[in-house]
Short mmCIF file of all heavy atoms in Angstrom, two decimals:
data_model
loop_
_atom_site.label_atom_id
_atom_site.label_comp_id
_atom_site.label_asym_id
_atom_site.label_seq_id
_atom_site.Cartn_x
_atom_site.Cartn_y
_atom_site.Cartn_z
N MET A 1 180.35 120.33 262.90
CA MET A 1 181.59 119.64 263.24
C MET A 1 181.71 119.52 264.76
O MET A 1 181.37 120.43 265.50
CB MET A 1 182.79 120.40 262.69
CG MET A 1 184.10 119.75 262.96
SD MET A 1 185.39 120.64 262.07
CE MET A 1 186.78 119.93 262.83
N SER A 2 182.20 118.39 265.22
CA SER A 2 182.35 118.14 266.64
C SER A 2 183.67 118.71 267.15
O SER A 2 184.69 118.61 266.49
CB SER A 2 182.32 116.65 266.93
OG SER A 2 181.06 116.10 266.64
N LEU A 3 183.61 119.28 268.34
CA LEU A 3 184.83 119.72 269.02
C LEU A 3 185.60 118.49 269.51
O LEU A 3 186.82 118.43 269.44
CB LEU A 3 184.46 120.62 270.19
CG LEU A 3 185.59 121.12 271.06
CD1 LEU A 3 186.52 122.01 270.24
CD2 LEU A 3 185.05 121.89 272.24
N LEU A 4 184.85 117.49 269.99
CA LEU A 4 185.43 116.23 270.46
C LEU A 4 184.64 115.09 269.84
O LEU A 4 183.41 115.09 269.90
CB LEU A 4 185.36 116.13 271.99
CG LEU A 4 185.72 114.79 272.61
CD1 LEU A 4 187.19 114.48 272.41
CD2 LEU A 4 185.37 114.77 274.09
N LYS A 5 185.33 114.14 269.26
CA LYS A 5 184.67 112.95 268.71
C LYS A 5 185.52 111.73 269.03
O LYS A 5 186.68 111.64 268.62
CB LYS A 5 184.47 113.07 267.21
CG LYS A 5 183.73 111.89 266.62
CD LYS A 5 183.35 112.14 265.19
CE LYS A 5 182.68 110.95 264.54
NZ LYS A 5 181.46 110.52 265.11
N ILE A 6 184.94 110.82 269.80
CA ILE A 6 185.60 109.58 270.18
C ILE A 6 184.76 108.44 269.62
O ILE A 6 183.56 108.39 269.85
CB ILE A 6 185.72 109.45 271.71
CG1 ILE A 6 186.50 110.62 272.30
CG2 ILE A 6 186.35 108.12 272.09
CD1 ILE A 6 186.47 110.67 273.81
N SER A 7 185.41 107.53 268.88
CA SER A 7 184.70 106.40 268.29
C SER A 7 185.43 105.10 268.61
O SER A 7 186.61 104.95 268.27
CB SER A 7 184.62 106.55 266.77
OG SER A 7 183.92 107.71 266.41
N ASN A 8 184.74 104.20 269.28
CA ASN A 8 185.25 102.85 269.55
C ASN A 8 186.65 102.86 270.17
O ASN A 8 187.51 102.05 269.79
CB ASN A 8 185.24 102.01 268.27
CG ASN A 8 183.85 101.88 267.71
OD1 ASN A 8 182.90 101.63 268.44
ND2 ASN A 8 183.71 102.10 266.41
N LEU A 9 186.87 103.74 271.11
CA LEU A 9 188.16 103.84 271.79
C LEU A 9 188.33 102.68 272.76
O LEU A 9 187.49 102.45 273.63
CB LEU A 9 188.27 105.16 272.55
CG LEU A 9 189.53 105.38 273.37
CD1 LEU A 9 190.75 105.45 272.46
CD2 LEU A 9 189.41 106.65 274.20
N SER A 10 189.42 101.95 272.59
CA SER A 10 189.77 100.87 273.51
C SER A 10 191.20 101.10 273.98
O SER A 10 192.02 101.64 273.26
CB SER A 10 189.68 99.51 272.81
OG SER A 10 188.35 99.23 272.46
N LEU A 11 191.46 100.69 275.21
CA LEU A 11 192.78 100.89 275.82
C LEU A 11 193.17 99.65 276.60
O LEU A 11 192.38 99.12 277.39
CB LEU A 11 192.73 102.10 276.77
CG LEU A 11 193.92 102.31 277.70
CD1 LEU A 11 195.18 102.65 276.91
CD2 LEU A 11 193.61 103.40 278.73
N ASN A 12 194.40 99.20 276.36
CA ASN A 12 195.02 98.14 277.15
C ASN A 12 196.28 98.72 277.76
O ASN A 12 197.01 99.45 277.10
CB ASN A 12 195.41 96.94 276.28
CG ASN A 12 194.22 96.20 275.75
OD1 ASN A 12 193.14 96.24 276.33
ND2 ASN A 12 194.40 95.51 274.65
N ILE A 13 196.55 98.38 279.01
CA ILE A 13 197.79 98.77 279.67
C ILE A 13 198.50 97.49 280.09
O ILE A 13 197.96 96.73 280.89
CB ILE A 13 197.55 99.71 280.86
CG1 ILE A 13 196.84 100.99 280.40
CG2 ILE A 13 198.88 100.05 281.54
CD1 ILE A 13 196.49 101.95 281.51
N HIS A 14 199.67 97.26 279.51
CA HIS A 14 200.44 96.03 279.73
C HIS A 14 199.55 94.81 279.49
O HIS A 14 199.61 93.84 280.25
CB HIS A 14 201.05 96.00 281.12
CG HIS A 14 202.05 97.08 281.36
ND1 HIS A 14 203.27 97.13 280.72
CD2 HIS A 14 201.99 98.18 282.15
CE1 HIS A 14 203.92 98.21 281.12
NE2 HIS A 14 203.18 98.86 281.98
N GLY A 15 198.69 94.89 278.46
CA GLY A 15 197.84 93.76 278.09
C GLY A 15 196.54 93.66 278.86
O GLY A 15 195.71 92.83 278.53
N THR A 16 196.36 94.48 279.88
CA THR A 16 195.13 94.44 280.65
C THR A 16 194.11 95.41 280.05
O THR A 16 194.40 96.60 279.93
CB THR A 16 195.39 94.83 282.13
OG1 THR A 16 196.34 93.93 282.67
CG2 THR A 16 194.11 94.80 282.94
N PRO A 17 192.92 94.94 279.68
CA PRO A 17 191.91 95.83 279.12
C PRO A 17 191.43 96.85 280.16
O PRO A 17 191.12 96.49 281.30
CB PRO A 17 190.75 94.90 278.74
CG PRO A 17 191.28 93.52 278.81
CD PRO A 17 192.47 93.55 279.71
N VAL A 18 191.43 98.12 279.76
CA VAL A 18 191.00 99.19 280.65
C VAL A 18 189.74 99.88 280.11
O VAL A 18 188.83 100.18 280.86
CB VAL A 18 192.14 100.22 280.84
CG1 VAL A 18 191.69 101.39 281.68
CG2 VAL A 18 193.36 99.55 281.45
N LEU A 19 189.71 100.12 278.80
CA LEU A 19 188.54 100.69 278.13
C LEU A 19 188.16 99.80 276.96
O LEU A 19 189.03 99.22 276.32
CB LEU A 19 188.85 102.09 277.58
CG LEU A 19 189.30 103.17 278.54
CD1 LEU A 19 189.70 104.41 277.76
CD2 LEU A 19 188.20 103.49 279.53
N ARG A 20 186.86 99.74 276.67
CA ARG A 20 186.42 98.94 275.52
C ARG A 20 185.31 99.68 274.78
O ARG A 20 184.24 99.93 275.34
CB ARG A 20 185.93 97.58 275.97
CG ARG A 20 185.59 96.67 274.80
CD ARG A 20 185.19 95.30 275.23
NE ARG A 20 184.10 95.38 276.19
CZ ARG A 20 183.78 94.42 277.02
NH1 ARG A 20 184.45 93.31 277.03
NH2 ARG A 20 182.78 94.57 277.86
N ASP A 21 185.61 100.07 273.55
CA ASP A 21 184.64 100.63 272.61
C ASP A 21 183.89 101.85 273.16
O ASP A 21 182.66 101.93 273.07
CB ASP A 21 183.65 99.57 272.15
CG ASP A 21 184.33 98.45 271.38
OD1 ASP A 21 185.32 98.75 270.67
OD2 ASP A 21 183.90 97.29 271.48
N VAL A 22 184.62 102.82 273.70
CA VAL A 22 184.02 104.05 274.20
C VAL A 22 183.76 104.99 273.02
O VAL A 22 184.64 105.20 272.19
CB VAL A 22 184.96 104.75 275.22
CG1 VAL A 22 184.41 106.10 275.64
CG2 VAL A 22 185.19 103.85 276.42
N SER A 23 182.56 105.52 272.92
CA SER A 23 182.20 106.47 271.87
C SER A 23 181.41 107.62 272.46
O SER A 23 180.55 107.41 273.33
CB SER A 23 181.36 105.79 270.78
OG SER A 23 182.08 104.79 270.13
N MET A 24 181.72 108.84 272.01
CA MET A 24 180.96 110.03 272.41
C MET A 24 181.36 111.17 271.49
O MET A 24 182.42 111.12 270.85
CB MET A 24 181.22 110.41 273.87
CG MET A 24 182.64 110.82 274.19
SD MET A 24 182.93 111.22 275.92
CE MET A 24 183.17 109.60 276.62
N SER A 25 180.54 112.18 271.42
CA SER A 25 180.90 113.38 270.66
C SER A 25 180.35 114.60 271.38
O SER A 25 179.37 114.51 272.14
CB SER A 25 180.38 113.31 269.23
OG SER A 25 178.97 113.30 269.21
N LEU A 26 181.01 115.71 271.14
CA LEU A 26 180.64 116.97 271.78
C LEU A 26 180.79 118.09 270.76
O LEU A 26 181.87 118.27 270.20
CB LEU A 26 181.56 117.24 272.98
CG LEU A 26 181.37 118.56 273.70
CD1 LEU A 26 180.00 118.63 274.37
CD2 LEU A 26 182.47 118.75 274.72
N LYS A 27 179.71 118.82 270.53
CA LYS A 27 179.77 119.96 269.62
C LYS A 27 180.17 121.21 270.40
O LYS A 27 179.90 121.31 271.60
CB LYS A 27 178.42 120.17 268.95
CG LYS A 27 178.08 119.04 268.00
CD LYS A 27 176.84 119.32 267.22
CE LYS A 27 176.61 118.15 266.27
NZ LYS A 27 175.52 118.39 265.35
N ALA A 28 180.80 122.14 269.72
CA ALA A 28 181.23 123.40 270.35
C ALA A 28 180.02 124.09 270.97
O ALA A 28 178.93 124.11 270.39
CB ALA A 28 181.88 124.30 269.32
N GLY A 29 180.20 124.63 272.15
CA GLY A 29 179.14 125.35 272.85
C GLY A 29 178.19 124.47 273.64
O GLY A 29 177.28 124.97 274.30
N LYS A 30 178.38 123.17 273.59
CA LYS A 30 177.52 122.23 274.31
C LYS A 30 178.26 121.69 275.52
O LYS A 30 179.47 121.83 275.65
CB LYS A 30 177.08 121.07 273.41
CG LYS A 30 176.27 121.51 272.22
CD LYS A 30 174.96 122.11 272.66
CE LYS A 30 174.12 122.53 271.46
NZ LYS A 30 172.87 123.12 271.86
N ILE A 31 177.53 121.03 276.39
CA ILE A 31 178.11 120.44 277.61
C ILE A 31 177.83 118.95 277.59
O ILE A 31 176.73 118.52 277.27
CB ILE A 31 177.48 121.09 278.87
CG1 ILE A 31 177.80 122.58 278.92
CG2 ILE A 31 177.95 120.37 280.13
CD1 ILE A 31 177.05 123.32 280.00
N LEU A 32 178.84 118.17 277.95
CA LEU A 32 178.71 116.72 278.03
C LEU A 32 179.14 116.29 279.41
O LEU A 32 180.25 116.62 279.85
CB LEU A 32 179.59 116.05 276.97
CG LEU A 32 179.70 114.53 277.03
CD1 LEU A 32 178.36 113.89 276.68
CD2 LEU A 32 180.79 114.05 276.09
N GLY A 33 178.28 115.58 280.11
CA GLY A 33 178.63 115.04 281.42
C GLY A 33 178.99 113.57 281.29
O GLY A 33 178.27 112.82 280.66
N VAL A 34 180.11 113.19 281.85
CA VAL A 34 180.53 111.79 281.85
C VAL A 34 180.50 111.33 283.30
O VAL A 34 181.22 111.86 284.15
CB VAL A 34 181.95 111.62 281.25
CG1 VAL A 34 182.37 110.16 281.28
CG2 VAL A 34 181.98 112.16 279.83
N ILE A 35 179.62 110.37 283.58
CA ILE A 35 179.47 109.91 284.95
C ILE A 35 179.74 108.41 285.03
O ILE A 35 179.65 107.69 284.04
CB ILE A 35 178.06 110.21 285.50
CG1 ILE A 35 176.99 109.53 284.65
CG2 ILE A 35 177.82 111.71 285.56
CD1 ILE A 35 175.60 109.61 285.24
N GLY A 36 180.09 107.97 286.20
CA GLY A 36 180.32 106.54 286.42
C GLY A 36 181.00 106.36 287.76
O GLY A 36 181.56 107.30 288.33
N GLU A 37 180.95 105.15 288.25
CA GLU A 37 181.56 104.88 289.54
C GLU A 37 183.08 104.93 289.44
O GLU A 37 183.64 104.93 288.34
CB GLU A 37 181.10 103.53 290.07
CG GLU A 37 181.48 102.36 289.20
CD GLU A 37 180.88 101.07 289.70
OE1 GLU A 37 179.65 100.96 289.77
OE2 GLU A 37 181.67 100.16 290.00
N SER A 38 183.71 104.99 290.57
CA SER A 38 185.17 105.00 290.62
C SER A 38 185.72 103.78 289.91
O SER A 38 185.24 102.66 290.12
CB SER A 38 185.62 105.01 292.09
OG SER A 38 187.01 105.01 292.18
N GLY A 39 186.69 104.00 289.04
CA GLY A 39 187.30 102.90 288.32
C GLY A 39 186.60 102.52 287.02
O GLY A 39 186.97 101.55 286.38
N SER A 40 185.60 103.30 286.62
CA SER A 40 184.84 102.94 285.41
C SER A 40 185.49 103.42 284.12
O SER A 40 185.03 103.06 283.04
CB SER A 40 183.41 103.48 285.50
OG SER A 40 183.40 104.90 285.54
N GLY A 41 186.56 104.25 284.20
CA GLY A 41 187.29 104.64 283.01
C GLY A 41 187.15 106.09 282.57
O GLY A 41 187.63 106.45 281.50
N LYS A 42 186.53 106.92 283.38
CA LYS A 42 186.35 108.34 283.01
C LYS A 42 187.69 109.03 282.80
O LYS A 42 187.93 109.64 281.75
CB LYS A 42 185.54 109.07 284.08
CG LYS A 42 184.16 108.50 284.35
CD LYS A 42 183.46 109.20 285.50
CE LYS A 42 184.20 109.15 286.81
NZ LYS A 42 184.27 107.84 287.46
N SER A 43 188.56 108.93 283.76
CA SER A 43 189.86 109.60 283.67
C SER A 43 190.73 108.98 282.58
O SER A 43 191.39 109.70 281.83
CB SER A 43 190.61 109.53 285.01
OG SER A 43 189.93 110.29 285.98
N MET A 44 190.72 107.66 282.45
CA MET A 44 191.54 107.01 281.44
C MET A 44 191.06 107.37 280.03
O MET A 44 191.87 107.46 279.11
CB MET A 44 191.55 105.50 281.63
CG MET A 44 192.26 105.06 282.92
SD MET A 44 193.90 105.80 283.18
CE MET A 44 194.82 105.04 281.88
N THR A 45 189.77 107.61 279.87
CA THR A 45 189.26 108.08 278.57
C THR A 45 189.87 109.44 278.25
O THR A 45 190.39 109.66 277.16
CB THR A 45 187.73 108.17 278.58
OG1 THR A 45 187.18 106.86 278.82
CG2 THR A 45 187.19 108.72 277.27
N ALA A 46 189.85 110.35 279.22
CA ALA A 46 190.41 111.69 279.02
C ALA A 46 191.92 111.61 278.78
O ALA A 46 192.45 112.27 277.88
CB ALA A 46 190.10 112.58 280.21
N PHE A 47 192.62 110.81 279.58
CA PHE A 47 194.07 110.67 279.40
C PHE A 47 194.41 110.10 278.03
O PHE A 47 195.39 110.49 277.40
CB PHE A 47 194.68 109.78 280.49
CG PHE A 47 194.67 110.38 281.87
CD1 PHE A 47 194.55 109.56 282.98
CD2 PHE A 47 194.76 111.75 282.07
CE1 PHE A 47 194.55 110.10 284.26
CE2 PHE A 47 194.76 112.30 283.34
CZ PHE A 47 194.65 111.47 284.44
N SER A 48 193.59 109.16 277.54
CA SER A 48 193.82 108.58 276.21
C SER A 48 193.70 109.64 275.13
O SER A 48 194.55 109.74 274.24
CB SER A 48 192.80 107.47 275.93
OG SER A 48 192.96 106.40 276.81
N VAL A 49 192.65 110.44 275.20
CA VAL A 49 192.41 111.47 274.19
C VAL A 49 193.54 112.50 274.20
O VAL A 49 193.96 112.99 273.16
CB VAL A 49 191.04 112.15 274.41
CG1 VAL A 49 190.87 113.36 273.51
CG2 VAL A 49 189.92 111.15 274.18
N MET A 50 194.04 112.83 275.39
CA MET A 50 195.06 113.86 275.50
C MET A 50 196.49 113.32 275.39
O MET A 50 197.45 114.08 275.49
CB MET A 50 194.91 114.61 276.83
CG MET A 50 193.59 115.33 276.98
SD MET A 50 193.00 116.30 275.55
CE MET A 50 194.37 117.30 275.12
N GLY A 51 196.65 112.02 275.17
CA GLY A 51 197.98 111.44 274.99
C GLY A 51 198.80 111.43 276.25
O GLY A 51 200.03 111.56 276.20
N LEU A 52 198.16 111.24 277.39
CA LEU A 52 198.86 111.25 278.68
C LEU A 52 198.76 109.88 279.35
O LEU A 52 198.32 109.76 280.49
CB LEU A 52 198.25 112.34 279.58
CG LEU A 52 198.37 113.76 279.06
CD1 LEU A 52 197.57 114.72 279.93
CD2 LEU A 52 199.82 114.18 278.98
N LEU A 53 199.20 108.86 278.64
CA LEU A 53 199.09 107.49 279.13
C LEU A 53 200.43 106.96 279.61
O LEU A 53 201.48 107.39 279.14
CB LEU A 53 198.55 106.59 278.02
CG LEU A 53 197.11 106.86 277.61
CD1 LEU A 53 196.78 106.09 276.34
CD2 LEU A 53 196.17 106.47 278.73
N PRO A 54 200.41 105.99 280.52
CA PRO A 54 201.66 105.40 281.00
C PRO A 54 202.31 104.53 279.93
O PRO A 54 201.68 104.12 278.95
CB PRO A 54 201.22 104.56 282.20
CG PRO A 54 199.79 104.24 281.93
CD PRO A 54 199.24 105.43 281.18
N GLN A 55 203.59 104.22 280.14
CA GLN A 55 204.30 103.30 279.26
C GLN A 55 203.55 101.96 279.23
O GLN A 55 202.97 101.56 280.23
CB GLN A 55 205.73 103.07 279.77
CG GLN A 55 206.61 104.28 279.68
CD GLN A 55 206.94 104.64 278.23
OE1 GLN A 55 207.06 103.78 277.38
NE2 GLN A 55 207.09 105.92 277.97
N GLY A 56 203.57 101.30 278.09
CA GLY A 56 202.91 100.01 277.97
C GLY A 56 201.45 100.10 277.57
O GLY A 56 200.74 99.10 277.58
N SER A 57 201.00 101.31 277.23
CA SER A 57 199.60 101.51 276.84
C SER A 57 199.43 101.31 275.35
O SER A 57 200.29 101.72 274.56
CB SER A 57 199.14 102.92 277.21
OG SER A 57 199.23 103.13 278.59
N GLN A 58 198.33 100.71 274.96
CA GLN A 58 197.98 100.54 273.56
C GLN A 58 196.54 100.98 273.37
O GLN A 58 195.65 100.53 274.11
CB GLN A 58 198.12 99.08 273.13
CG GLN A 58 199.52 98.55 273.21
CD GLN A 58 199.58 97.08 272.86
OE1 GLN A 58 198.68 96.32 273.18
NE2 GLN A 58 200.65 96.69 272.19
N THR A 59 196.31 101.88 272.41
CA THR A 59 194.96 102.36 272.12
C THR A 59 194.53 101.89 270.74
O THR A 59 195.35 101.69 269.85
CB THR A 59 194.87 103.90 272.19
OG1 THR A 59 195.84 104.45 271.29
CG2 THR A 59 195.10 104.42 273.59
N ARG A 60 193.22 101.75 270.57
CA ARG A 60 192.59 101.48 269.28
C ARG A 60 191.37 102.38 269.19
O ARG A 60 190.83 102.81 270.20
CB ARG A 60 192.11 100.02 269.20
CG ARG A 60 193.17 99.01 268.97
CD ARG A 60 192.57 97.63 268.64
NE ARG A 60 191.23 97.44 269.19
CZ ARG A 60 190.94 96.71 270.25
NH1 ARG A 60 191.89 96.10 270.92
NH2 ARG A 60 189.71 96.58 270.67
N GLY A 61 190.94 102.63 267.98
CA GLY A 61 189.77 103.46 267.77
C GLY A 61 190.18 104.82 267.24
O GLY A 61 191.27 104.98 266.68
N GLN A 62 189.30 105.78 267.43
CA GLN A 62 189.55 107.13 266.95
C GLN A 62 189.22 108.14 268.04
O GLN A 62 188.26 107.97 268.79
CB GLN A 62 188.68 107.42 265.73
CG GLN A 62 188.93 106.50 264.57
CD GLN A 62 187.97 106.77 263.43
OE1 GLN A 62 186.80 107.05 263.64
NE2 GLN A 62 188.47 106.68 262.21
N ALA A 63 190.02 109.21 268.08
CA ALA A 63 189.77 110.33 268.99
C ALA A 63 190.22 111.60 268.30
O ALA A 63 191.39 111.73 267.92
CB ALA A 63 190.52 110.13 270.30
N TYR A 64 189.30 112.51 268.10
CA TYR A 64 189.58 113.77 267.42
C TYR A 64 189.22 114.94 268.33
O TYR A 64 188.14 114.95 268.93
CB TYR A 64 188.77 113.89 266.13
CG TYR A 64 189.18 112.90 265.08
CD1 TYR A 64 188.56 111.66 264.99
CD2 TYR A 64 190.20 113.20 264.18
CE1 TYR A 64 188.94 110.75 264.03
CE2 TYR A 64 190.59 112.28 263.22
CZ TYR A 64 189.95 111.06 263.14
OH TYR A 64 190.33 110.16 262.19
N VAL A 65 190.11 115.90 268.43
CA VAL A 65 189.85 117.16 269.12
C VAL A 65 189.99 118.25 268.07
O VAL A 65 191.06 118.42 267.48
CB VAL A 65 190.84 117.39 270.29
CG1 VAL A 65 190.65 118.78 270.87
CG2 VAL A 65 190.66 116.32 271.36
N ASP A 66 188.89 118.92 267.80
CA ASP A 66 188.86 119.98 266.79
C ASP A 66 189.43 119.50 265.45
O ASP A 66 190.19 120.20 264.79
CB ASP A 66 189.60 121.21 267.29
CG ASP A 66 189.14 122.50 266.62
OD1 ASP A 66 188.05 122.51 266.02
OD2 ASP A 66 189.89 123.49 266.69
N GLY A 67 189.09 118.26 265.09
CA GLY A 67 189.50 117.69 263.82
C GLY A 67 190.89 117.07 263.78
O GLY A 67 191.30 116.53 262.76
N ILE A 68 191.63 117.12 264.88
CA ILE A 68 192.99 116.56 264.93
C ILE A 68 192.93 115.18 265.59
O ILE A 68 192.38 115.03 266.68
CB ILE A 68 193.94 117.48 265.72
CG1 ILE A 68 194.05 118.83 265.02
CG2 ILE A 68 195.31 116.83 265.89
CD1 ILE A 68 194.78 119.88 265.81
N ASP A 69 193.49 114.19 264.91
CA ASP A 69 193.54 112.83 265.43
C ASP A 69 194.56 112.77 266.56
O ASP A 69 195.77 112.73 266.31
CB ASP A 69 193.92 111.87 264.30
CG ASP A 69 193.99 110.42 264.74
OD1 ASP A 69 193.79 110.13 265.93
OD2 ASP A 69 194.27 109.58 263.88
N THR A 70 194.10 112.76 267.79
CA THR A 70 195.01 112.82 268.93
C THR A 70 195.71 111.49 269.21
O THR A 70 196.71 111.46 269.92
CB THR A 70 194.30 113.29 270.21
OG1 THR A 70 193.29 112.34 270.56
CG2 THR A 70 193.68 114.66 270.01
N LEU A 71 195.21 110.39 268.66
CA LEU A 71 195.86 109.10 268.89
C LEU A 71 197.11 108.93 268.05
O LEU A 71 197.95 108.08 268.35
CB LEU A 71 194.88 107.95 268.64
CG LEU A 71 193.66 107.91 269.54
CD1 LEU A 71 192.81 106.67 269.24
CD2 LEU A 71 194.01 107.97 271.01
N SER A 72 197.25 109.75 266.98
CA SER A 72 198.44 109.62 266.15
C SER A 72 199.19 110.96 266.00
O SER A 72 200.17 111.01 265.27
CB SER A 72 198.07 109.08 264.77
OG SER A 72 197.22 109.99 264.10
N ALA A 73 198.76 112.00 266.68
CA ALA A 73 199.40 113.31 266.57
C ALA A 73 200.78 113.30 267.23
O ALA A 73 201.03 112.55 268.18
CB ALA A 73 198.52 114.38 267.20
N SER A 74 201.65 114.17 266.73
CA SER A 74 203.00 114.30 267.30
C SER A 74 202.91 114.96 268.68
O SER A 74 201.92 115.62 269.01
CB SER A 74 203.88 115.15 266.38
OG SER A 74 203.39 116.49 266.36
N GLU A 75 203.97 114.81 269.45
CA GLU A 75 204.00 115.42 270.79
C GLU A 75 203.91 116.95 270.72
O GLU A 75 203.17 117.54 271.50
CB GLU A 75 205.24 114.97 271.56
CG GLU A 75 205.27 115.47 272.99
CD GLU A 75 204.09 115.04 273.84
OE1 GLU A 75 203.45 114.01 273.54
OE2 GLU A 75 203.79 115.75 274.82
N PRO A 76 204.60 117.64 269.78
CA PRO A 76 204.43 119.09 269.70
C PRO A 76 202.99 119.51 269.38
O PRO A 76 202.48 120.47 269.95
CB PRO A 76 205.37 119.50 268.56
CG PRO A 76 206.43 118.44 268.54
CD PRO A 76 205.71 117.17 268.91
N THR A 77 202.31 118.74 268.55
CA THR A 77 200.90 119.02 268.25
C THR A 77 200.06 118.83 269.50
O THR A 77 199.19 119.64 269.82
CB THR A 77 200.39 118.13 267.11
OG1 THR A 77 201.14 118.40 265.93
CG2 THR A 77 198.91 118.35 266.85
N MET A 78 200.31 117.75 270.22
CA MET A 78 199.54 117.48 271.44
C MET A 78 199.80 118.55 272.50
O MET A 78 198.88 118.95 273.21
CB MET A 78 199.87 116.09 272.01
CG MET A 78 199.35 114.95 271.15
SD MET A 78 197.58 115.07 270.78
CE MET A 78 196.88 115.00 272.42
N CYS A 79 201.02 119.04 272.61
CA CYS A 79 201.31 120.13 273.55
C CYS A 79 200.50 121.37 273.22
O CYS A 79 200.00 122.05 274.12
CB CYS A 79 202.81 120.44 273.58
SG CYS A 79 203.79 119.21 274.44
N SER A 80 200.34 121.65 271.95
CA SER A 80 199.55 122.84 271.57
C SER A 80 198.07 122.64 271.85
O SER A 80 197.37 123.59 272.19
CB SER A 80 199.79 123.21 270.09
OG SER A 80 199.20 122.25 269.24
N ILE A 81 197.58 121.42 271.75
CA ILE A 81 196.18 121.14 272.06
C ILE A 81 195.95 121.22 273.57
O ILE A 81 194.97 121.80 274.01
CB ILE A 81 195.78 119.73 271.55
CG1 ILE A 81 195.75 119.71 270.02
CG2 ILE A 81 194.43 119.30 272.10
CD1 ILE A 81 195.58 118.33 269.44
N ARG A 82 196.85 120.63 274.33
CA ARG A 82 196.69 120.62 275.79
C ARG A 82 196.77 122.03 276.33
O ARG A 82 196.14 122.40 277.25
CB ARG A 82 197.77 119.77 276.44
CG ARG A 82 197.58 118.31 276.19
CD ARG A 82 198.61 117.51 277.00
NE ARG A 82 198.99 116.34 276.24
CZ ARG A 82 200.20 116.10 275.77
NH1 ARG A 82 201.19 116.92 275.98
NH2 ARG A 82 200.43 115.01 275.08
#
């Protein structure tokens, strides 16, 4: 089972595309490096998974942390994950 699993994650902010079809997975005890130039979406990917996006954001796809769907989890659930 993956500790983190992201499948086809896309993000629009006020209609502007920010991420498109991001996918990755991480098993417990492993290390995953995410690299890219400034503005390539590394931080926005993390913010999307953790539910820390600005108003006007729309996500599509799937993001699971330890089996919990973080794109549809309640705020109290997300607080416990964070």
